[in-house]
Amino acid sequence: MGFSYNDLKKILFMFSPETAHKIAEYFINGAEFVPGLYDKISKECVINDPILEQTIFDKPYINPVGIGGGFDKNATMIEGLKALGFGFLEYGTFTPMPQKGNEKPRLFRLIEEESIQNAMGFNNDGADKIEGRLIKAYPNTIPLWANIGKNKITINETAIHDYIKLVNQFNKFCDAFVINISSPNTPNLRALQEVGFVSELFDALSKLSKKPLILKIAPDLNYDDAIKISTTAVNNGASGIIISNTSVDYSLSKSPNLKNFGGLSGKVIAEKSRQIFKVVADELYGKTTLIACGGIDSPEEVYKRIKMGASLVQIYTGFIFQGPTICRDINLGLKALLRLDGFSHISQAIGIDVKK
């Protein structure tokens, strides 16, 4: 009898979530030191098929599935995650100065709901250390996105300077910037999700950035605000919108392990993320690149978001619950769904369900 990921998951889930993440990081990176292992993993997990290939932001994406921000905060797992078949990777969120993040425990499993609650607080090694890693990792054979945020001690009135510093420093080390003003775990950060600041921020960054700028929004915005903020970002230089970050709508979960702080991700936010994605897509599809995130863990869910207007998708919590073959499994399933509907290329399916 083979040893499955479900067996491994039972062992990993005996540890605290942060410790389990460190163990996973160790194994993902450790494969580098076994000659030929990355190649073997790639042959198993990387799906190469023209039906899934796209050119976005003037870069080739071999498939639409990326790892979302927060999984590889410090850009330590790039080669291992690439071998697991992702079409693009997002490192961060990181900040100009290193910071420890919030007090532990700050990461919780809602196992029966295949969801996570996190209150990490942008814990990261800081821009300088992460730049040192990207000097070796960039450019890469797949696109790398830098997810950037402000330090906790930076007040909102001067927050723009943190984003300016990071764009200037990482212009040479990414294929796109993800602007994170929607995490619920840095005090007052979500207050920056307003038209005035978004306009000022993207106007300033678009003059400095040599790479596309992408805004990531929260699923808890009311629909009018989501449309206004996203439209403002696009009108001031954003090339894409990620919908969405984690949710603080705790009514979504019935888990006994639910806390009254931190952001929810995974299956519990799938419907909420899907709904706000639809609202934004109905307004902005065709005017910008839309990226879906939140509760995505299957080919069927990916296909729904693609038909709703997503050119790319991101996963995080599904990776934790389904394991290292999730990207392969999604891409194989997505190919089958596209062909079942008579499509010869993913572009033919993107946006077919958008309100005309």
Side-chain angles (χ1 to χ4, degrees), residues 48-113:
N48 286 308
D49 193 312
I51 196 173
L52 298 179
E53 295 172 2
Q54 301 177 81
T55 298
I56 298 173
F57 307 138
D58 296 322
K59 294 288 181 181
Y61 287 69
I62 62 169
N63 69 68
V65 184
I67 192 80
F71 190 87
D72 189 11
K73 288 178 177 290
N74 294 307
T76 61
M77 294 184 269
I78 288 170
E79 292 307 310
L81 290 170
K82 180 174 71 174
L84 290 174
F86 289 96
F88 65 104
L89 304 174
E90 184 177 322
Y91 63 90
T93 301
F94 63 96
T95 52
M97 294 182 292
Q99 60 183 29
K100 293 182 179 179
N102 296 325
E103 294 296 316
K104 298 179 182 180
R106 56 194 180 182
L107 188 61
F108 311 93
R109 300 183 189 100
L110 314 180
I111 294 175
E112 64 286 348
E113 296 174 330

Side-chain angles (χ1 to χ4, degrees), residues 53-316:
E53 295 172 2
Q54 301 177 81
T55 298
I56 298 173
F57 307 138
D58 296 322
K59 294 288 181 181
Y61 287 69
I62 62 169
N63 69 68
V65 184
I67 192 80
F71 190 87
D72 189 11
K73 288 178 177 290
N74 294 307
T76 61
M77 294 184 269
I78 288 170
E79 292 307 310
L81 290 170
K82 180 174 71 174
L84 290 174
F86 289 96
F88 65 104
L89 304 174
E90 184 177 322
Y91 63 90
T93 301
F94 63 96
T95 52
M97 294 182 292
Q99 60 183 29
K100 293 182 179 179
N102 296 325
E103 294 296 316
K104 298 179 182 180
R106 56 194 180 182
L107 188 61
F108 311 93
R109 300 183 189 100
L110 314 180
I111 294 175
E112 64 286 348
E113 296 174 330
E114 292 190 27
S115 299
I116 293 289
Q117 189 169 20
N118 97 79
M120 304 299 285
F122 289 175
N123 55 304
N124 73 98
D125 291 343
D128 290 345
K129 276 194 176 180
I130 292 170
E131 179 186 3
R133 296 183 185 120
L134 267 298
I135 289 171
K136 300 174 183 177
Y138 188 85
N140 210 288
T141 54
I142 63 172
L144 304 181
W145 296 2
N147 183 315
I148 59 175
K150 79 171 188 72
N151 277 111
K152 184 177 181 178
I153 62 171
T154 303
I155 60 174
N156 281 6
E157 287 73 16
T158 60
I160 193 169
H161 300 300
D162 279 11
Y163 293 96
I164 287 171
K165 179 184 186 303
L166 292 171
V167 164
N168 280 327
Q169 187 171 355
F170 280 82
N171 259 319
K172 297 180 181 178
F173 302 113
C174 69
D175 295 296
F177 286 103
V178 177
I179 312 303
N180 192 345
I181 55 173
S182 55
S183 168
N185 301 317
T186 295
N188 302 316
L189 184 71
R190 284 193 170 184
L192 298 177
Q193 290 185 121
E194 56 90 20
V195 167
F197 180 77
V198 169
S199 176
E200 180 186 6
L201 177 65
F202 278 86
D203 181 62
L205 296 185
S206 64
K207 292 179 173 68
L208 302 171
S209 178
K210 297 179 175 66
K211 305 298 170 65
L213 300 168
I214 302 168
L215 175 65
K216 188 173 192 176
I217 66 170
D220 305 313
L221 289 168
N222 71 58
Y223 292 165
D224 285 344
D225 285 345
I227 291 169
K228 288 176 185 175
I229 290 165
S230 298
T231 301
T232 297
V234 172
N235 289 342
N236 285 276
S239 297
I241 307 290
I242 296 176
I243 313 154
S244 64
N245 212 319
T246 58
S247 175
V248 293
D249 181 357
Y250 303 137
S251 70
L252 298 171
S253 173
K254 306 301 180 187
S255 172
N257 204 31
L258 182 71
K259 311 300 178 188
N260 62 354
F261 58 93
L264 296 169
S265 63
K267 280 187 182 294
V268 293
I269 73 163
E271 178 62 23
K272 191 179 187 77
S273 294
R274 199 184 301 125
Q275 287 175 355
I276 195 169
F277 184 94
K278 182 182 188 315
V279 168
V280 175
D282 283 347
E283 291 290 329
L284 288 180
Y285 174 72
K287 301 174 184 176
T288 193
T289 299
L290 301 174
I291 302 101
C293 186
I296 296 174
D297 62 357
S298 69
E300 292 76 17
E301 188 61 41
V302 169
Y303 196 37
K304 283 180 187 175
R305 310 285 178 110
I306 286 171
K307 290 191 292 184
M308 291 167 66
S311 296
L312 300 168
V313 301
Q314 293 181 312
I315 61 174
Y316 182 140

